[in-house]
Amino acid sequence: MTNKLVLDHISKVYGDGSTSVKVLDDISLQVKAGEFVAIVGPSGAGKSTFLSIAGALLSPSSGKISIDNQEIQNMSENELNDIRLKKIGFVFQSANLIPYLTVRDQLLLIAQLDGKHTKQDEARADELLERLGLGHRRNHYPEKLSGGERQRVAIARAWMNDPEIILADEPTASLDSERGRDVVQMLADEVKRSNKSALMVTHDKRMLDLCDRVVYIEDGKLFEHEMSV
């Protein structure tokens, strides 16, 4: 099975000399196509740094990163922008929707950022919204949506350009347990349906049974535990 994301002996150090702080310490992880992996750990363990490096938002101090079989650690900023736009979908703690765009236009903006806006893009946006139970909300603005609906829009937007990897940073943080579980279930279903990959940073251990693997991070190191299904 193809590895969509490979982090190979990644370290991240801030500062120099005696003032340096090692946030990530020689970590390696492979995420296969169709796999949904949870990253769990205490505050300050390095989860956000880890996710930023996996999402090509931050460069490692050492090590190699491959996304969809492309090594990215030595790419230019323009090349990294292209990777982020075409290969990675992001879902954040808050939905980060644009208040003056309708639900449908939130998705179409992603296509426009990629320099296109075709009938096929409009059809994909409509299909994603229907699949996530948002078809009846397509012309609504974010202020008219519930918290769960806003996060579902964020998920639909993350899938808009058919990325290889979804990175979710505490996607249930602002939701109650029922709505949070619905959101994570939708992420898991989409990963399986499209044979893509997802990494989710979470504090909510009630969601872990929906993931294929759980990886614990502490003091900048990864510890892997197989999920019993």
Side-chain angles (χ1 to χ4, degrees):
M1 193 177 291
T2 307
N3 287 316
K4 293 290 185 181
L5 174 67
V6 178
L7 292 96
D8 186 20
H9 296 288
I10 295 293
S11 292
K12 182 63 178 178
V13 180
Y14 290 104
D16 296 309
S18 60
T19 62
S20 67
V21 177
K22 183 173 280 190
V23 181
L24 297 178
D25 187 6
D26 193 33
I27 63 174
S28 296
L29 180 70
Q30 298 180 354
V31 185
K32 296 180 174 62
E35 192 172 32
F36 187 20
V37 178
I39 307 291
V40 179
S43 296
K47 299 189 301 296
S48 295
T49 300
F50 176 85
L51 208 64
S52 294
I53 287 176
L57 295 168
L58 188 64
S59 297
S61 300
S62 60
K64 296 179 181 179
I65 310 164
S66 295
I67 294 175
D68 198 28
N69 293 318
Q70 286 183 275
E71 281 198 14
I72 70 166
Q73 69 274 357
N74 295 319
M75 285 185 173
S76 69
E77 191 56 37
N78 283 341
E79 290 171 323
L80 289 174
N81 282 335
D82 204 47
I83 289 286
R84 287 190 288 264
L85 184 60
K86 295 179 178 176
K87 300 287 188 180
I88 305 170
F90 295 93
V91 181
F92 301 98
Q93 288 185 34
S94 57
N96 287 350
L97 302 182
I98 298 170
Y100 53 84
L101 291 181
T102 65
V103 165
R104 189 173 188 258
D105 286 341
Q106 307 278 341
L107 274 63
L108 293 176
L109 177 62
I110 301 300
Q112 290 162 7
L113 289 172
D114 196 20
K116 58 192 178 70
H117 179 158
T118 65
K119 290 293 184 185
Q120 287 88 348
D121 294 316
E122 293 181 5
R124 177 163 176 78
D126 290 338
E127 178 203 356
L128 282 166
L129 293 174
E130 287 293 341
R131 201 155 68 229
L132 295 181
L134 292 162
H136 65 300
R137 294 296 214 181
R138 74 185 67 201
N139 295 318
H140 287 67
Y141 291 92
E143 64 179 13
K144 299 295 185 183
L145 306 179
S146 69
E149 287 172 331
R150 285 194 289 270
Q151 275 297 53
R152 279 188 275 156
V153 175
I155 291 171
R157 182 179 61 186
W159 285 112
M160 183 61 194
N161 272 1
D162 196 27
E164 298 302 320
I165 303 161
I166 291 288
L167 300 177
D169 186 7
E170 298 281 3
T172 66
S174 60
L175 305 175
D176 62 40
S177 58
E178 182 180 354
R179 288 181 176 83
R181 192 169 181 84
D182 286 345
V183 162
V184 176
Q185 184 70 64
M186 286 173 184
L187 276 171
D189 290 346
E190 283 296 307
V191 166
K192 301 303 180 199
R193 192 197 67 81
S194 57
N195 201 37
K196 300 302 174 68
S197 302
L199 271 178
M200 176 179 69
V201 164
T202 184
H203 279 103
D204 195 343
K205 294 188 177 181
R206 294 170 297 182
M207 306 299 167
L208 299 184
D209 63 300
L210 297 173
C211 302
D212 299 304
R213 277 194 291 154
V214 180
V215 178
Y216 295 86
I217 186 168
E218 191 165 1
D219 297 327
K221 291 183 177 292
L222 289 185
F223 306 90
E224 191 156 341
H225 296 247
E226 292 292 334
M227 287 291 290
S228 56
V229 179

CSV table of all heavy atoms in Angstrom, one decimal, residues 108-142:
chain,number,residue,atom,x,y,z
A,108,LEU,N,-15.6,27.0,-3.6
A,108,LEU,CA,-15.2,27.5,-4.9
A,108,LEU,C,-13.9,28.4,-4.8
A,108,LEU,O,-13.1,28.4,-5.8
A,108,LEU,CB,-16.3,28.2,-5.6
A,108,LEU,CG,-17.5,27.3,-6.0
A,108,LEU,CD1,-18.6,28.1,-6.6
A,108,LEU,CD2,-17.0,26.1,-6.9
A,109,LEU,N,-13.7,29.0,-3.7
A,109,LEU,CA,-12.6,29.9,-3.5
A,109,LEU,C,-11.3,29.0,-3.6
A,109,LEU,O,-10.3,29.5,-4.2
A,109,LEU,CB,-12.6,30.6,-2.2
A,109,LEU,CG,-11.4,31.4,-1.8
A,109,LEU,CD1,-11.2,32.6,-2.8
A,109,LEU,CD2,-11.5,31.9,-0.4
A,110,ILE,N,-11.3,27.8,-3.2
A,110,ILE,CA,-10.2,26.9,-3.2
A,110,ILE,C,-9.8,26.7,-4.7
A,110,ILE,O,-8.6,26.7,-5.1
A,110,ILE,CB,-10.4,25.6,-2.5
A,110,ILE,CG1,-10.7,25.9,-1.0
A,110,ILE,CG2,-9.2,24.7,-2.6
A,110,ILE,CD1,-9.6,26.6,-0.3
A,111,ALA,N,-10.8,26.4,-5.5
A,111,ALA,CA,-10.5,26.2,-6.9
A,111,ALA,C,-10.0,27.5,-7.6
A,111,ALA,O,-9.0,27.4,-8.4
A,111,ALA,CB,-11.8,25.8,-7.7
A,112,GLN,N,-10.5,28.7,-7.2
A,112,GLN,CA,-10.0,29.9,-7.7
A,112,GLN,C,-8.6,30.2,-7.3
A,112,GLN,O,-7.8,30.7,-8.1
A,112,GLN,CB,-10.9,31.1,-7.2
A,112,GLN,CG,-12.3,31.0,-7.9
A,112,GLN,CD,-13.3,31.8,-7.1
A,112,GLN,OE1,-13.0,32.5,-6.2
A,112,GLN,NE2,-14.6,31.7,-7.5
A,113,LEU,N,-8.2,29.8,-6.1
A,113,LEU,CA,-6.8,30.0,-5.7
A,113,LEU,C,-5.9,29.1,-6.5
A,113,LEU,O,-4.7,29.4,-6.7
A,113,LEU,CB,-6.7,29.6,-4.2
A,113,LEU,CG,-7.3,30.6,-3.2
A,113,LEU,CD1,-7.2,30.0,-1.8
A,113,LEU,CD2,-6.6,31.9,-3.2
A,114,ASP,N,-6.4,28.0,-7.1
A,114,ASP,CA,-5.6,27.2,-7.9
A,114,ASP,C,-5.7,27.6,-9.4
A,114,ASP,O,-5.3,26.9,-10.3
A,114,ASP,CB,-6.1,25.7,-7.8
A,114,ASP,CG,-5.1,24.7,-8.4
A,114,ASP,OD1,-3.9,25.0,-8.5
A,114,ASP,OD2,-5.6,23.6,-8.7
A,115,GLY,N,-6.3,28.8,-9.6
A,115,GLY,CA,-6.3,29.4,-10.9
A,115,GLY,C,-7.4,28.9,-11.8
A,115,GLY,O,-7.2,29.0,-13.1
A,116,LYS,N,-8.4,28.3,-11.3
A,116,LYS,CA,-9.5,27.8,-12.1
A,116,LYS,C,-10.8,27.9,-11.4
A,116,LYS,O,-10.9,28.1,-10.2
A,116,LYS,CB,-9.2,26.3,-12.4
A,116,LYS,CG,-9.1,25.4,-11.2
A,116,LYS,CD,-8.6,24.0,-11.6
A,116,LYS,CE,-8.4,23.1,-10.3
A,116,LYS,NZ,-9.6,22.7,-9.7
A,117,HIS,N,-11.9,27.9,-12.2
A,117,HIS,CA,-13.2,27.9,-11.7
A,117,HIS,C,-14.1,27.4,-12.8
A,117,HIS,O,-14.6,28.1,-13.6
A,117,HIS,CB,-13.7,29.3,-11.2
A,117,HIS,CG,-15.1,29.3,-10.7
A,117,HIS,ND1,-15.6,30.3,-9.8
A,117,HIS,CD2,-16.1,28.4,-10.9
A,117,HIS,CE1,-16.8,30.0,-9.6
A,117,HIS,NE2,-17.2,28.9,-10.2
A,118,THR,N,-14.3,26.1,-12.9
A,118,THR,CA,-15.0,25.4,-14.0
A,118,THR,C,-16.3,24.8,-13.5
A,118,THR,O,-16.6,24.8,-12.3
A,118,THR,CB,-14.1,24.3,-14.6
A,118,THR,OG1,-14.0,23.3,-13.5
A,118,THR,CG2,-12.7,24.8,-14.9
A,119,LYS,N,-17.1,24.4,-14.5
A,119,LYS,CA,-18.3,23.7,-14.1
A,119,LYS,C,-18.0,22.4,-13.3
A,119,LYS,O,-18.8,22.1,-12.5
A,119,LYS,CB,-19.1,23.3,-15.4
A,119,LYS,CG,-19.6,24.5,-16.2
A,119,LYS,CD,-20.8,25.2,-15.4
A,119,LYS,CE,-21.4,26.3,-16.2
A,119,LYS,NZ,-22.4,27.1,-15.4
A,120,GLN,N,-16.9,21.8,-13.6
A,120,GLN,CA,-16.5,20.6,-12.8
A,120,GLN,C,-16.3,21.0,-11.4
A,120,GLN,O,-16.6,20.2,-10.5
A,120,GLN,CB,-15.3,20.0,-13.4
A,120,GLN,CG,-15.5,19.2,-14.8
A,120,GLN,CD,-15.4,20.2,-16.0
A,120,GLN,OE1,-15.3,21.4,-15.8
A,120,GLN,NE2,-15.4,19.6,-17.2
A,121,ASP,N,-15.7,22.1,-11.1
A,121,ASP,CA,-15.4,22.6,-9.8
A,121,ASP,C,-16.8,22.8,-9.1
A,121,ASP,O,-16.9,22.5,-7.9
A,121,ASP,CB,-14.6,23.9,-9.7
A,121,ASP,CG,-13.2,23.6,-10.2
A,121,ASP,OD1,-12.6,22.6,-9.9
A,121,ASP,OD2,-12.7,24.4,-11.0
A,122,GLU,N,-17.7,23.5,-9.8
A,122,GLU,CA,-19.0,23.7,-9.2
A,122,GLU,C,-19.7,22.4,-8.9
A,122,GLU,O,-20.3,22.3,-7.8
A,122,GLU,CB,-19.8,24.6,-10.1
A,122,GLU,CG,-19.3,26.0,-10.3
A,122,GLU,CD,-20.1,26.8,-11.2
A,122,GLU,OE1,-21.2,26.4,-11.7
A,122,GLU,OE2,-19.7,28.0,-11.5
A,123,ALA,N,-19.6,21.5,-9.8
A,123,ALA,CA,-20.2,20.1,-9.5
A,123,ALA,C,-19.6,19.4,-8.3
A,123,ALA,O,-20.3,18.8,-7.5
A,123,ALA,CB,-20.1,19.3,-10.8
A,124,ARG,N,-18.3,19.5,-8.2
A,124,ARG,CA,-17.6,18.9,-7.1
A,124,ARG,C,-18.0,19.6,-5.8
A,124,ARG,O,-18.2,18.9,-4.8
A,124,ARG,CB,-16.1,19.0,-7.2
A,124,ARG,CG,-15.3,18.4,-6.0
A,124,ARG,CD,-13.9,18.1,-6.3
A,124,ARG,NE,-13.2,17.6,-5.2
A,124,ARG,CZ,-13.2,16.4,-4.7
A,124,ARG,NH1,-14.0,15.5,-5.3
A,124,ARG,NH2,-12.6,16.0,-3.6
A,125,ALA,N,-18.1,20.9,-5.7
A,125,ALA,CA,-18.5,21.6,-4.5
A,125,ALA,C,-19.9,21.1,-4.1
A,125,ALA,O,-20.1,20.8,-2.9
A,125,ALA,CB,-18.5,23.1,-4.8
A,126,ASP,N,-20.8,21.0,-5.1
A,126,ASP,CA,-22.2,20.6,-4.8
A,126,ASP,C,-22.2,19.2,-4.3
A,126,ASP,O,-22.9,18.8,-3.3
A,126,ASP,CB,-23.1,20.8,-6.0
A,126,ASP,CG,-23.3,22.2,-6.4
A,126,ASP,OD1,-23.2,23.1,-5.5
A,126,ASP,OD2,-23.6,22.5,-7.6
A,127,GLU,N,-21.4,18.3,-4.9
A,127,GLU,CA,-21.3,16.9,-4.5
A,127,GLU,C,-20.8,16.8,-3.1
A,127,GLU,O,-21.4,16.0,-2.2
A,127,GLU,CB,-20.4,16.1,-5.4
A,127,GLU,CG,-20.3,14.7,-5.1
A,127,GLU,CD,-19.0,14.0,-5.6
A,127,GLU,OE1,-18.3,14.7,-6.4
A,127,GLU,OE2,-18.7,12.9,-5.3
A,128,LEU,N,-19.8,17.5,-2.7
A,128,LEU,CA,-19.2,17.4,-1.4
A,128,LEU,C,-20.2,17.9,-0.3
A,128,LEU,O,-20.4,17.3,0.7
A,128,LEU,CB,-17.9,18.3,-1.3
A,128,LEU,CG,-16.7,17.6,-1.9
A,128,LEU,CD1,-15.6,18.7,-2.1
A,128,LEU,CD2,-16.2,16.5,-1.0
A,129,LEU,N,-20.9,19.0,-0.6
A,129,LEU,CA,-21.9,19.6,0.3
A,129,LEU,C,-23.0,18.6,0.5
A,129,LEU,O,-23.5,18.4,1.6
A,129,LEU,CB,-22.4,20.9,-0.2
A,129,LEU,CG,-21.3,22.0,-0.2
A,129,LEU,CD1,-21.9,23.3,-0.8
A,129,LEU,CD2,-20.8,22.3,1.2
A,130,GLU,N,-23.5,18.0,-0.6
A,130,GLU,CA,-24.5,17.0,-0.4
A,130,GLU,C,-24.1,15.8,0.4
A,130,GLU,O,-24.8,15.3,1.3
A,130,GLU,CB,-25.0,16.5,-1.8
A,130,GLU,CG,-25.8,17.5,-2.6
A,130,GLU,CD,-27.2,17.8,-2.0
A,130,GLU,OE1,-27.6,16.9,-1.2
A,130,GLU,OE2,-27.7,18.8,-2.3
A,131,ARG,N,-22.8,15.3,0.2
A,131,ARG,CA,-22.3,14.2,0.9
A,131,ARG,C,-22.2,14.4,2.4
A,131,ARG,O,-22.3,13.5,3.2
A,131,ARG,CB,-21.0,13.7,0.3
A,131,ARG,CG,-20.6,12.3,0.6
A,131,ARG,CD,-19.7,11.7,-0.5
A,131,ARG,NE,-18.4,12.3,-0.4
A,131,ARG,CZ,-17.7,12.7,-1.5
A,131,ARG,NH1,-18.3,12.6,-2.7
A,131,ARG,NH2,-16.5,13.2,-1.4
A,132,LEU,N,-21.9,15.7,2.7
A,132,LEU,CA,-21.7,16.0,4.1
A,132,LEU,C,-23.0,16.6,4.7
A,132,LEU,O,-22.9,17.2,5.8
A,132,LEU,CB,-20.5,17.0,4.3
A,132,LEU,CG,-19.1,16.4,3.9
A,132,LEU,CD1,-18.1,17.4,4.1
A,132,LEU,CD2,-18.8,15.1,4.7
A,133,GLY,N,-24.1,16.4,4.0
A,133,GLY,CA,-25.4,16.9,4.6
A,133,GLY,C,-25.5,18.4,4.7
A,133,GLY,O,-26.3,18.9,5.5
A,134,LEU,N,-24.9,19.1,3.7
A,134,LEU,CA,-25.0,20.5,3.7
A,134,LEU,C,-25.6,21.1,2.5
A,134,LEU,O,-25.6,22.3,2.3
A,134,LEU,CB,-23.6,21.1,3.9
A,134,LEU,CG,-22.9,20.8,5.2
A,134,LEU,CD1,-21.4,21.0,5.1
A,134,LEU,CD2,-23.4,21.8,6.3
A,135,GLY,N,-26.2,20.3,1.6
A,135,GLY,CA,-26.8,20.8,0.4
A,135,GLY,C,-27.8,21.9,0.6
A,135,GLY,O,-27.8,22.9,-0.2
A,136,HIS,N,-28.6,21.7,1.6
A,136,HIS,CA,-29.6,22.7,1.9
A,136,HIS,C,-29.0,24.0,2.5
A,136,HIS,O,-29.8,25.0,2.7
A,136,HIS,CB,-30.7,22.2,2.9
A,136,HIS,CG,-30.1,21.8,4.2
A,136,HIS,ND1,-29.1,20.9,4.4
A,136,HIS,CD2,-30.5,22.3,5.5
A,136,HIS,CE1,-28.9,20.9,5.7
A,136,HIS,NE2,-29.7,21.7,6.4
A,137,ARG,N,-27.8,24.0,2.8
A,137,ARG,CA,-27.1,25.2,3.4
A,137,ARG,C,-26.2,25.9,2.4
A,137,ARG,O,-25.5,26.8,2.8
A,137,ARG,CB,-26.3,24.8,4.6
A,137,ARG,CG,-27.1,24.2,5.8
A,137,ARG,CD,-28.0,25.3,6.4
A,137,ARG,NE,-28.2,25.1,7.8
A,137,ARG,CZ,-28.9,25.9,8.5
A,137,ARG,NH1,-29.6,27.0,7.9
A,137,ARG,NH2,-29.1,25.8,9.8
A,138,ARG,N,-26.1,25.5,1.2
A,138,ARG,CA,-25.1,25.9,0.3
A,138,ARG,C,-25.1,27.4,0.1
A,138,ARG,O,-24.1,28.0,-0.2
A,138,ARG,CB,-25.2,25.2,-1.1
A,138,ARG,CG,-26.4,25.7,-1.9
A,138,ARG,CD,-26.5,24.8,-3.2
A,138,ARG,NE,-26.9,23.4,-2.8
A,138,ARG,CZ,-26.6,22.4,-3.6
A,138,ARG,NH1,-26.0,22.5,-4.7
A,138,ARG,NH2,-27.0,21.2,-3.2
A,139,ASN,N,-26.3,28.1,0.2
A,139,ASN,CA,-26.3,29.5,0.0
A,139,ASN,C,-26.4,30.3,1.2
A,139,ASN,O,-26.6,31.5,1.2
A,139,ASN,CB,-27.5,29.9,-0.9
A,139,ASN,CG,-27.4,29.3,-2.3
A,139,ASN,OD1,-26.3,29.3,-2.9
A,139,ASN,ND2,-28.5,28.7,-2.8
A,140,HIS,N,-26.1,29.7,2.4
A,140,HIS,CA,-26.1,30.4,3.7
A,140,HIS,C,-24.7,30.9,4.0
A,140,HIS,O,-23.7,30.4,3.5
A,140,HIS,CB,-26.5,29.4,4.8
A,140,HIS,CG,-28.0,29.1,4.8
A,140,HIS,ND1,-28.6,28.4,3.8
A,140,HIS,CD2,-29.0,29.4,5.7
A,140,HIS,CE1,-29.9,28.2,4.1
A,140,HIS,NE2,-30.1,28.9,5.2
A,141,TYR,N,-24.7,32.0,4.8
A,141,TYR,CA,-23.4,32.5,5.3
A,141,TYR,C,-23.1,31.9,6.6
A,141,TYR,O,-23.9,31.3,7.3
A,141,TYR,CB,-23.5,34.0,5.4
A,141,TYR,CG,-23.6,34.7,4.1
A,141,TYR,CD1,-24.9,35.0,3.5
A,141,TYR,CD2,-22.5,35.1,3.4
A,141,TYR,CE1,-25.0,35.6,2.3
A,141,TYR,CE2,-22.6,35.7,2.1
A,141,TYR,CZ,-23.9,36.0,1.6
A,141,TYR,OH,-24.0,36.6,0.4
A,142,PRO,N,-21.8,31.9,7.0
A,142,PRO,CA,-21.3,31.2,8.2
A,142,PRO,C,-22.1,31.5,9.5
A,142,PRO,O,-22.3,30.7,10.3
A,142,PRO,CB,-19.8,31.6,8.3
A,142,PRO,CG,-19.4,31.8,6.9
A,142,PRO,CD,-20.6,32.4,6.2
